[in-house]
Structure formats: C-alpha cells, structure tokens
Amino acid sequence: MKHATLSRTVIGGLSVAALGAGLLAGPARASADPSQKAPGNGPTATMVVHPVIDTDTVGASSQQRTWASTLGVRNAGGIDAPDSQASYLQFDVSPAVVPGTIVSARVVLTATPDSAAPVGTQLTSAFVSNDTWNGEQVTRYDPIFTLTGATKPAATDIAGSTAPLRTDHGAVRYEGDVTPAARTENTGDGRLSLRVWTTDQNAAARFHSDDHSIGDNRPALLITFRPTTDRDRTNAADAAKDLADAREYLRRLGPVKHDITLPSVGRHGSRLRWSSLDDQNLDDRGKVTRPTADLPDADIALDIKVTDGSVTLRDRLQVVVPKDPGAKPAAPVDAALRPVAVEREVTDLISRTWGTTFTPVTPPTQVLSREIPVAPGQSVQAAIDDVAAAGGGVVRLGPGVHPLTTPLNMRSTVTLVGAGQNRTVIQYTGTGSAITTTLKQLQDVVMKGFTLEGVKGDLGGAIGIYFAGADPESAHHHRIALQDVTVKNFPGHGVHMKRTTDIITDHLTSMYNGEANSLFHNSYWLFDNRILQSDTQLSKPVLGKGAKYTSTSDVITQRMTIHQAVGNGIQADGSNDVRIFFQKVNISDVGKTALWMICEIFSNPNQYTEDSTYAPDHVIINRSSFVGNLRGGVWKIAQDVLVRDSVFDNIQDDLILMKSYPEFENVKFKQAPEYFTDNSQVPAL
C-alpha cells in the first residue's frame, strides 16, 4: 500500500462528542459547547483531560509506582490499614492545557466488570500535595512516581467530592467535584494530584486505569473554564476537538494491517505530532510492518502531541498490529558478515587530514562450516557452548520468540544468527545483561539477523548487549560485529562495549533504551578503539543519549540517525577521545543539545575541567544535519574540528563554542556560532 502524503492531511468528519458522549451528556453536566454562557461572567469552554499518571498503592509503606493496569480502592479499616488500597491520579491543569480560570472540575472513574462494590458505595477524593507525589522519569514508557511519607502520602479531603457509585450510560462510575484543588493548581505548578478512596467500611471497588486504554472508560477530569482571551478559548476548543478526533480515528481503525495516515494537521487546524514506541511495527509516519506468524501481535503505544496556539495537549494512544499468518517464509539469513564499505569521501578526507595516524577497523574471523540450529524454547546457551568447544561456528536461531531469563554468555569465534529482525526475537526478562561474556578477552564474535528485546517499565537495570574487556591496555576484547540487529526496551544501555578494539555495527537499530536514568543510552562506547558504525538508527532514547563516546579513538560513523531525545543526541568526552568522523549524521528534535563535545571528566560530569586532554580532538563532521533541536552543538575545548557541507537550524542556539575554534567549509547556520573564553559566561545548559 502506498503511504499517504502527510503534509496537509487532516482527520475529518469527527467531533469531540464522539469520544466523550457518555461523560459530557446529561442535565447535571457542563455543556461541550465552547460558547456556553456563565451567568454574568462571559463564555466558558469545556474539555476532557486524561491522567499524566495513575496508579494505586496498598498498605502503609512508601513505594515506587508506575502505571497500574487497573485502579483499586478498598477500606480495610482506615486509610493506613495494611490491606487498605487507594488510587492516585495526577492531571496537568497548567495554563498550557487550561488557558483560563477553572469554573468546575470533576474527576470521573469507571468501574471494571469485576468490580465488587455495589451501586451506592461512597467514594471521596483528596488533594495530595505535590511534594509528596513527585514525578521521576515521566517520559518513560511507564512513568515513575514515588509515593513518599511514613504511610500513604498526606492528603486533604476535598469538600464536595464525596459521591456514590452510580449507573451512567450503561457503566458504573464515580464522579467527584474537585474544583477547589484544580483551581489552586491551575495558578500554581499545574500538577493536580488526587487520591480516591472509599469511605464505606469493607467496601472494595476496581476501576479502569489509563494504561493503554481508549474511550469513555478512561479516568478523566472534566473541566469547565473561562478562557483568558477569545483566542485561548478557540485554541483550547480546537485542540480538544482535534485530540478527540485522533482518538476516535484510531478507535475506528481497530487492528491495522496496512499503512495508516497519521496526519500532521487536525480538522480544526491544530498541529499534530505522533511518536510511536515501536517503530519496527508502526513508525511515526504510519508505515505498518506486521509481525510474522511466528511472533505475537504487536501492541503499540502511540504518543500524540496536539498544539494549537497557546494550548498543548498530550496523550498516549494504542494501536494493535496483528501478525501476518500469510507472510512468506524468508530465505535463510547468510551467517557470513557482509562487507561494510566506507564511503570514498570519508577515506579521502581521512587520508588528507589525518594521514596514516588513523587505523581502520579489522573485521571478525568466522567459522561457518559448523552450525547448530536452535528452535524457540531450546537452549541457546548450550548451542553457544557446543560450537565454542569445537573451535567456533554458527548458532542459528529459528523464527519466533526465544525466551531468555538469564544472561547469554558469549564465547569467542561464535556467530549468533537469527531469521531476521522481524522474525527472530530474543526476549529477555532477567537482570544484568541479556548478552555478555565472562571471558577476559572475547574475540571474533558476529551477531546478525535478530531482535533483542527487554521489558518496558522494568527498572532492574538490565542492559541489552554488554562486553567489557578485563584491562584497558593488555586485555581488550577484539573484533565484534553487529549486523541487521535491533536492540530495544532495555532500562540500561541498549549496547555498551568498553575496553574493546575493532567494533563494527551495520544496520543496527538501538531504540527505546535507557529508562532507568539519564546515564543509560541507546549505545555507549567507553575506552574503545577502531569503531565503524554504518546505517545506524539510535532514535528515541528514553532518558539518556542516542550515542555516547568516551575515550574512544579511530571512529567512523556514517549514515546515523538520532531523532527525538529528551536530553542530548550525541556526547563525546573523555581523555584521548581522538579521530572521530561523523559522515551524514542527522540529529533532530532533541530536547537539549544535538552534538555535545565537552571537556568535563565523564566520571564527574558536573565539574568543569579546564583541560583539553578531556575534550575530543581531531573531529570531522561532513554532510551532516542538526535541525529542530534545542541546541545544535556545545563544544568545550574541542580541538582540530572540521565541519563541511553541513546544516545547523535549531531553536535556541546553533553552536556554542567554549575555547573551541572549528574550521567551517560550506556550512549553513540559522544563527551564527557563539564563542566564549570563560566557562562561567556560557549560557546555562
């Protein structure tokens, strides 16, 4: 199916009422008509807001919590009783979402079919002060919020919020008036944190959460507000309608088997930005790749950002891409490593600029005459051990899901090959690292043709692929290659190698890694020498960077893409970080700096180091693009940097240079580079 053009496509024929008819209807509810008059106070507008986070907690202990699949409340003898359960929800009611004065706000929860509480059960809402329910890693797939305090977080009952469960349009719902708290937070930091609990002794209820749900069963905050200006009223109404249209559009599509249109403009003029959390099966443009018959259906979270003037609304929706039982079997993947050619322009520039000081990568040696097949459910480790003991060979993973609960211990001269990235999945649910080694010097390893997948939301710190030589001088790993491999959904690094020489990555996709904290990245090279990266996709790290190079040398990166990052796209730092070539690197839409080359010591990044030893030296950036990021580059004492035929077009700054004086040849800037000689004068970053 030919993919539709997105430039001005809009979703038509839907309205906000299509989503919220059950929630907004009825004589006791505020009208969805933005022109409704409030007596003596001008027109009001109405919107439906869904949670930033919702969860529940049991007992009298502090807990780290993420999204809960359902929300529970139970009165087992007081709010702090060991078996009592309370639900917590946080909504964004900042002026960017609600641009005006809140007239009324009502929280609505819908009971699940298995909820035990009868109609008439009383529930109440309480306001949780924001310093006792703090957001951590809120951009994660499963955002974390910490419920602190000696027992459950302190909360103050909201007058008027006590109400019974009642039947409403075929569903059982609780609806509590939380207007005073919403008003306070609308003029405060914008975070409205609520606790919902039942006041009836021994009563227990269960509600739908916002975890991947679509439609009227989602927890909601129904807000009527008086816009600050007529323009705000129009923006809010249009953004809400376009978001509702998007939700309903996906709901009507149901499971998708072909490419879909993800519009860039809503019917009411809002700008729509989509971000898939599984590009393998559905990318940001709506291109669909169905899993093969050997794999499960793909359940995909799809984020949407709706912007209309002063108003920005965000939501997480869900798309199911069913597996394709009719997919034709693919030809077996050739276990031999394909040669990776370096672009002629790169080799010419290296020869002209660095001469013979640059040492190119050496590929692994393979043994292809010996092969052991492994079907899903059989031991991959046993096959690795067998071919290694025989002097090397190929472990061939069959199509399907290979579950893995303990780390694979790689051995030298072993090739691990699957049936293709969309056919063979190693699904890791253990701790530590999914693929690693106990050898002090691992060598001649090839991994090819599979997907390595961790668990979203599991903060155990697992890393996808981790190899570390025993000694920085005498015991490096040697000659390791990844080709046609996807690594995703690991809370730690996707790929991390250190004290390793001769690394090749070709058509490596490492995405959605680094959930645990900002020190984990899609790829991290530490104390490594001679690296060749070709056709690499390192977009959407959850908290860390797309790529980090610390104390690396003789690096060629050609045709790399990093798109959407909360922080920096690439970071290069550390002693002896020398001879790095970026060819056709495209970095866009990162929240901080696209290319961050600094002199701070990596082990103490908060302390400025006035020492060029710790800054990248001998860097070439050729035919690259840094567009739509907050900043294009921040380079501190980076020496001998050549930038050619590249584009900088960013939001705040294109290039901040601290005692760094690059040479530019045919480089386009939106804003002129800024030069500094005193680090204290460098803008806050």
Side-chain angles (χ1 to χ4, degrees):
M1 177 178 177
K2 185 177 180 180
H3 189 63
T5 301
L6 302 182
S7 58
R8 289 295 300 174
T9 305
V10 300
I11 299 173
L14 304 175
S15 70
V16 68
L19 170 74
L23 297 181
L24 294 173
R29 292 163 171 62
S31 169
D33 181 1
S35 65
Q36 177 193 7
K37 295 279 186 175
N41 291 300
T44 62
T46 302
M47 64 169 56
V48 180
V49 178
H50 296 286
V52 175
I53 178 74
D54 59 19
T55 190
D56 56 26
T57 188
V58 180
S61 62
S62 303
Q63 301 179 55
Q64 251 192 0
R65 303 293 293 177
T66 61
W67 289 103
S69 57
T70 59
L71 302 176
V73 298
R74 181 170 62 249
N75 186 336
I79 187 64
D80 292 326
D83 293 329
S84 284
Q85 188 172 18
S87 293
Y88 294 82
L89 306 97
Q90 188 174 92
F91 298 92
D92 184 355
V93 294
S94 66
V97 176
V98 189
T101 303
I102 292 178
V103 176
S104 68
R106 305 184 311 283
V107 62
V108 179
L109 299 181
T110 302
T112 60
D114 61 350
S115 179
V119 170
T121 299
Q122 295 285 323
L123 286 92
T124 191
S125 295
F127 171 69
V128 182
S129 59
N130 289 328
D131 59 354
T132 59
W133 194 20
N134 297 320
E136 301 172 2
Q137 306 162 20
V138 295
T139 60
R140 288 166 18 94
Y141 179 82
D142 288 322
I144 291 180
F145 280 66
T146 301
L147 304 182
T148 61
T151 57
K152 291 185 175 70
T156 304
D157 288 343
I158 301 171
S161 67
T162 301
L165 288 177
R166 58 182 182 79
T167 303
D168 176 26
H169 291 79
V172 176
R173 292 193 171 103
Y174 160 69
E175 181 175 326
D177 189 336
V178 295
T179 303
R183 283 178 180 162
T184 297
E185 293 311 304
N186 177 242
T187 57
D189 65 10
R191 298 196 306 265
L192 174 62
S193 296
L194 301 174
R195 182 192 72 193
V196 178
W197 190 57
T198 175
T199 56
D200 288 358
Q201 185 74 24
N202 298 321
R206 186 159 296 279
F207 299 98
H208 290 280
S209 82
D210 200 42
D211 182 29
H212 278 187
S213 61
I214 298 175
D216 293 342
N217 289 336
R218 308 173 70 190
L221 189 69
L222 309 185
I223 300 174
T224 299
F225 68 102
R226 187 169 296 106
T228 303
T229 67
D230 289 341
R231 174 56 61 185
D232 288 334
R233 181 189 313 110
T234 301
N235 292 343
D238 288 346
K241 291 174 184 176
D242 284 336
L243 178 55
D245 283 355
R247 295 184 190 124
E248 182 64 13
Y249 170 67
L250 291 180
R251 179 163 59 174
R252 289 186 179 184
L253 282 178
V256 296
K257 300 179 180 180
H258 307 286
D259 293 355
I260 61 175
T261 297
L262 294 178
S264 60
V265 180
R267 182 165 62 99
H268 299 85
S270 305
R271 289 184 290 111
L272 310 181
R273 175 183 152 189
W274 306 83
S275 180
S276 170
L277 275 76
D278 185 356
D279 282 45
Q280 269 189 297
N281 298 113
L282 174 69
D283 71 15
D284 297 349
R285 299 169 298 169
K287 179 176 174 55
V288 171
T289 303
R290 295 176 65 182
T292 57
D294 302 294
L295 301 177
D297 296 345
D299 186 356
I300 301 165
L302 183 63
D303 286 348
I304 183 171
K305 177 181 176 182
V306 180
T307 302
D308 196 302
S310 59
V311 176
T312 297
L313 304 179
R314 292 176 172 84
D315 207 349
R316 177 159 289 172
L317 310 178
Q318 180 187 29
V319 175
V320 174
V321 176
K323 61 185 177 183
D324 184 2
K328 295 180 181 179
V333 173
D334 187 352
L337 182 70
R338 285 191 314 273
V340 182
V342 177
E343 292 189 18
R344 178 63 179 271
E345 185 178 32
V346 173
T347 57
D348 287 348
L349 274 170
I350 287 176
S351 177
R352 191 164 69 242
T353 308
W354 298 333
T356 59
T357 60
F358 185 94
T359 305
V361 69
T362 299
T365 297
Q366 294 178 270
V367 174
L368 302 175
S369 58
R370 185 179 299 109
E371 187 171 300
I372 296 179
V374 179
Q378 294 180 331
S379 174
V380 181
Q381 186 64 61
I384 290 173
D385 293 342
D386 286 348
V387 295
V394 176
V395 174
R396 185 173 292 277
L397 305 179
V401 177
H402 294 255
L404 186 65
T405 58
T406 57
L408 279 183
N409 185 10
M410 285 298 295
R411 319 303 291 177
S412 294
T413 326
V414 171
T415 294
L416 183 65
V417 62
Q421 289 155 287
N422 289 312
R423 291 182 172 270
T424 297
V425 176
I426 301 175
Q427 196 168 69
Y428 187 65
T429 56
T431 58
S433 302
I435 300 178
T436 186
T437 187
T438 57
L439 295 178
K440 292 183 177 181
Q441 283 189 289
L442 180 72
Q443 60 187 20
D444 296 315
V445 167
V446 174
M447 290 177 278
K448 184 177 181 182
F450 61 85
T451 288
L452 178 63
E453 182 176 1
V455 179
K456 284 188 173 82
D458 180 356
L459 291 192
I463 293 172
I465 297 172
Y466 174 55
F467 296 135
D471 185 86
E473 298 295 334
S474 61
H476 265 219
H477 295 320
H478 291 278
R479 299 180 298 281
I480 296 175
L482 310 178
Q483 192 168 66
D484 303 331
V485 169
T486 294
V487 182
K488 64 180 184 179
N489 302 340
F490 282 92
H493 303 295
V495 179
H496 181 25
M497 297 190 198
K498 60 182 178 180
R499 298 187 289 274
T500 301
T501 298
D502 294 314
I503 300 168
I504 297 175
T505 69
D506 177 37
H507 289 84
L508 167 69
T509 296
S510 184
M511 298 176 67
Y512 318 113
N513 302 296
E515 291 189 76
N517 59 59
S518 61
L519 299 178
F520 292 104
H521 319 297
N522 280 334
S523 67
Y524 186 16
W525 316 104
L526 175 62
F527 306 130
D528 297 328
N529 306 314
R530 302 199 290 272
I531 303 172
L532 172 58
Q533 297 175 278
S534 188
D535 299 284
T536 306
Q537 172 61 262
L538 300 176
S539 295
K540 302 181 183 179
V542 182
L543 290 174
K545 301 164 184 66
K548 189 170 189 292
Y549 305 85
T550 297
S551 300
T552 57
S553 64
D554 295 337
V555 178
I556 295 174
T557 291
Q558 59 181 17
R559 301 186 298 275
M560 173 188 284
T561 298
I562 298 176
H563 177 62
Q564 292 185 22
V566 176
N568 300 325
I570 291 177
Q571 178 169 332
D573 60 7
S575 59
N576 300 313
D577 218 30
V578 295
R579 295 183 298 280
I580 303 175
F581 199 123
F582 295 113
Q583 170 78 357
K584 297 179 181 176
V585 170
N586 297 307
I587 306 179
S588 62
D589 196 23
V590 305
K592 291 185 179 179
T593 302
L595 180 52
W596 173 257
M597 298 196 297
I598 58 171
C599 55
E600 283 83 346
I601 300 173
F602 79 95
S603 59
N604 189 6
N606 297 319
Q607 178 178 333
Y608 177 69
T609 307
E610 188 73 45
D611 187 342
S612 60
T613 302
Y614 294 95
D617 190 7
H618 303 304
V619 178
I620 298 176
I621 300 166
N622 191 53
R623 299 191 187 279
S624 294
S625 172
F626 307 92
V627 175
N629 311 289
L630 182 64
R631 291 177 294 271
V634 176
W635 305 345
K636 298 183 179 182
I637 326 184
Q639 305 297 308
D640 190 24
V641 180
L642 171 63
V643 187
R644 301 176 72 251
D645 298 321
S646 297
V647 176
F648 289 77
D649 185 350
N650 300 283
I651 298 168
Q652 191 175 93
D653 306 280
D654 274 344
L655 201 50
I656 293 176
L657 301 168
M658 167 61 197
K659 291 187 178 180
S660 186
Y661 305 96
E663 179 182 352
F664 299 113
E665 296 179 6
N666 191 31
V667 180
K668 295 180 180 179
F669 292 96
K670 178 182 177 181
Q671 306 161 80
E674 304 167 68
Y675 293 86
F676 297 88
T677 57
D678 184 342
N679 189 63
S680 65
Q681 296 175 357
V682 174
L685 306 175

